[in-house]
Amino acid sequence: FNPVAFLSSPCLLDAIDAIGVKPGEQWLELGTGCGMAALYAARKGANVIATDVTKGAVACAKENASGKGLQHNLMVVRSDLFATLPAQRFDVILFHPPYFAGAPRDDFDRAWRYGDLPQRFARELGEHLAPGGRAILLLSSNGDCGAYLDALASEGFRIEIVFEKELIVERVVAYSVQGASPREQ
């Protein structure tokens, strides 16, 4: 994804500004793509792990981190959601997920189609949030927001809007997701 070509991508930076970054916080960005949001949070002082499921995106994000001199507080790894991450909890987890139902056919399609991603994200999220931590989920009116919000609600998370913006062809909303899943209570 070219973050300039897709209008919703920069809205994740607005969501980061809306919640603020405390230097030294532990952040995770799932589906980082080129690393734009991870770089932004790292530049503001967060310690960030950025992940993506595709090899090309990981290479691009690593190159961008190195080019911006942020490799000291930004690590990029290949992972399908939380699968290959170290046993660590995060203060903030950023996720700008694919919006459309259906199984992705290839790496390019992974940016658009989510398969069982909403359910897996909701099921695994509580194990990776620090006490008092939250996820910031950026969704678009162009996609199926309900799949993600319903999956998170069914796991017992509290959801509130932290940022919203009307774009030319869509309404983008950043949701704050907090609380432990029922298995952790």
Side-chain angles (χ1 to χ4, degrees), residues 126-182:
E127 298 168 21
H128 299 280
L129 282 175
R134 63 176 151 181
I136 301 300
L137 183 66
L138 187 72
L139 298 174
S140 166
S141 60
N142 285 346
D144 183 6
C145 298
Y148 289 96
L149 300 176
D150 292 346
L152 289 162
S154 73
E155 290 290 330
F157 289 99
R158 292 182 317 278
I159 303 165
E160 65 182 45
I161 294 173
V162 293
F163 172 84
E164 54 190 315
K165 185 172 186 175
E166 291 289 335
L167 300 175
I168 296 167
V169 296
E170 65 186 317
R171 180 174 172 260
V172 178
V173 180
Y175 296 91
S176 175
V177 180
Q178 294 180 280
S181 69

Side-chain angles (χ1 to χ4, degrees), residues 2-182:
N2 176 340
V4 175
F6 295 91
L7 299 175
S8 61
S9 294
C11 292
L12 196 50
L13 307 185
D14 294 328
I16 291 170
D17 286 340
I19 65 164
V21 177
K22 294 183 183 113
E25 282 183 317
Q26 302 301 309
W27 285 49
L28 169 67
E29 184 185 15
L30 300 169
T32 196
C34 69
M36 179 180 68
L39 290 164
Y40 192 71
R43 180 171 278 149
K44 290 183 169 284
N47 296 312
V48 183
I49 296 177
T51 71
D52 204 285
V53 71
T54 64
K55 193 187 231 180
V58 169
C60 182
K62 282 182 178 179
E63 184 177 321
N64 285 335
S66 178
K68 298 293 182 189
L70 294 170
Q71 63 275 22
H72 64 281
N73 64 329
L74 173 57
M75 179 173 64
V76 183
V77 297
R78 188 170 181 194
S79 185
D80 182 3
L81 283 181
F82 305 100
T84 63
L85 293 177
Q88 179 179 351
R89 292 186 178 261
F90 299 91
D91 300 302
V92 178
I93 297 174
L94 301 172
F95 193 25
H96 183 192
Y99 298 148
F100 303 108
R105 295 176 305 254
D106 54 32
D107 280 349
F108 179 78
D109 207 29
R110 286 182 196 281
W112 300 103
R113 304 204 180 283
Y114 57 70
D116 68 345
L117 201 56
Q119 295 78 23
R120 287 191 302 126
F121 174 68
R123 206 172 38 244
E124 299 171 17
L125 178 61
E127 298 168 21
H128 299 280
L129 282 175
R134 63 176 151 181
I136 301 300
L137 183 66
L138 187 72
L139 298 174
S140 166
S141 60
N142 285 346
D144 183 6
C145 298
Y148 289 96
L149 300 176
D150 292 346
L152 289 162
S154 73
E155 290 290 330
F157 289 99
R158 292 182 317 278
I159 303 165
E160 65 182 45
I161 294 173
V162 293
F163 172 84
E164 54 190 315
K165 185 172 186 175
E166 291 289 335
L167 300 175
I168 296 167
V169 296
E170 65 186 317
R171 180 174 172 260
V172 178
V173 180
Y175 296 91
S176 175
V177 180
Q178 294 180 280
S181 69

